[in-house]
Amino acid sequence: MKFSFQYCPNCKNSKLRIENESKITCSSCNFEYYHNVAGAVAVIIQNKDKILFTVRNKNPQAGMLDLPGGFIDPKETAENACKRELNEELNISIDESKLKYLNSNPNTYLYKEILYNTIDLFYLYRDDKLEITDFDSLELKGFVWKSLDEIKLEELAFESQKKSLSLIMKNK
Ligand SMILES: [Zn+2]
């Protein structure tokens, strides 16, 4: 596994030790760095019997189906992150009070050769009148609405999403 640096940022020694996939220590100068689990959100948007999936335009997993969402910014609530990400990705403005927390699942996210461990917080957002006509073409190839019967878990980009969606598919 690769971390963001191979040499101690403090003393430039290469004697870095990694514990528990997250703590990096330098045995030469006692520098410590925590590559902590990052918080992320994913929103399951439902309109009548259809759920919205985005199609990733970027790696990791370009071309695969995704749920709208992303990393939580510093000092932001998870609900704020849902609203911001949906605005950025799909140009919609949601009512945060209608977000319903579903569950959390850990995930890994390999970006530019650095592995991030995330905790993905899943939310449900139901709006039977929601119309989506726009998307961020840098991040996304497009989007697709699918009924629960049409969802193929193997088309999804991330393990955490497969787990949370299978929960919904079981309970329908
Ligand atoms: Zn050092």
Side-chain angles (χ1 to χ4, degrees):
M1 185 185 316
K2 244 178 156 181
F3 281 100
S4 40
F5 37 77
Q6 288 171 303
Y7 298 97
C8 173
N10 188 42
C11 76
K12 302 185 175 62
N13 196 295
S14 63
K15 289 177 192 155
L16 295 177
R17 206 155 54 93
I18 300 164
E19 289 169 54
N20 195 24
E21 292 187 47
S22 64
K23 184 183 180 185
I24 306 171
T25 52
C26 172
S27 51
S28 175
C29 75
N30 292 327
F31 169 84
E32 290 185 3
Y33 173 75
Y34 288 89
H35 191 62
N36 287 326
V37 172
V41 293
V43 188
I44 299 170
I45 299 176
Q46 192 178 356
N47 182 339
K48 297 182 186 115
D49 66 332
K50 301 271 186 183
I51 287 170
L52 183 109
F53 295 91
T54 56
V55 184
R56 294 180 65 80
N57 195 33
K58 284 184 174 175
N59 277 321
Q61 308 286 56
M64 302 283 281
L65 294 186
D66 200 356
L67 290 168
F71 287 104
I72 301 169
D73 279 345
K75 301 185 174 67
E76 192 176 49
T77 66
E79 291 78 11
N80 290 164
C82 291
K83 186 178 172 82
R84 176 182 52 73
E85 288 286 350
L86 292 180
N87 189 260
E88 289 170 4
E89 290 185 16
L90 300 166
N91 197 19
I92 55 172
S93 181
I94 62 155
D95 178 354
E96 274 183 51
S97 69
K98 286 191 193 162
L99 285 165
K100 285 202 179 106
Y101 178 71
L102 176 68
N103 73 345
S104 66
N105 271 308
N107 195 37
T108 53
Y109 191 88
L110 186 68
Y111 184 69
K112 300 204 172 178
E113 296 183 42
I114 297 169
L115 187 72
Y116 296 88
N117 279 286
T118 71
I119 185 72
D120 293 351
L121 310 178
F122 288 83
Y123 285 85
L124 296 166
Y125 188 81
R126 175 145 193 187
D127 181 348
D128 289 349
K129 292 196 179 106
L130 183 68
E131 280 183 37
I132 294 173
T133 54
D134 196 12
F135 63 89
D136 175 357
S137 57
L138 203 65
E139 295 287 328
L140 308 177
K141 276 196 170 80
F143 60 89
V144 59
W145 291 97
K146 281 175 180 273
S147 65
L148 287 174
D149 302 334
E150 293 167 330
I151 298 170
K152 294 192 183 83
L153 292 178
E154 64 268 23
E155 294 177 343
L156 284 156
F158 302 111
E159 290 307 309
S160 56
Q161 300 174 345
K162 293 177 191 177
K163 284 186 186 151
S164 287
L165 279 164
S166 58
L167 194 72
I168 294 180
M169 291 157 86
K170 240 188 296 178
N171 292 340
K172 72 162 176 168

